[in-house]
Amino acid sequence: MSDAAVPIRRMPRPSRCPICGKPSDARNRPFCSDRCRMVDLNRWFREGYAIPGAAAPEPQADGGNGEENA
Ligand SMILES: [Zn+2]
């Protein structure tokens, strides 16, 4: 038996930045830079917060008024 018929699936996988399409950086995978990462994060947050149809109650900090002007 020869195990020479093993399909080599070790492609370098050219992951690209989902934001701008540039080759992703090893440090900021899968993004190319910290900036793009933040962009994606912001977008994610926006979509998470602004859900059409679902009125999500905003987590208000309960504990009295924080603003105290004499
Ligand atoms: Zn990018």
Side-chain angles (χ1 to χ4, degrees):
M1 274 191 164
S2 61
D3 55 337
V6 179
I8 301 175
R9 274 200 179 177
R10 277 201 105 185
M11 290 202 302
R13 208 177 185 194
S15 45
R16 289 184 187 175
C17 174
I19 303 300
C20 65
K22 286 182 184 176
S24 61
D25 185 56
R27 282 185 180 178
N28 302 294
R29 275 189 300 174
F31 308 103
C32 72
S33 61
D34 195 58
R35 197 181 122 218
C36 277
R37 191 205 287 181
M38 294 308 289
V39 172
D40 183 77
L41 194 70
N42 270 327
R43 185 187 293 175
W44 200 86
F45 266 116
R46 269 199 191 175
E47 289 182 4
Y49 276 113
I51 301 178
E58 288 189 357
Q60 290 188 354
D62 49 359
N65 296 330
E67 294 182 10
E68 258 187 51
N69 273 347

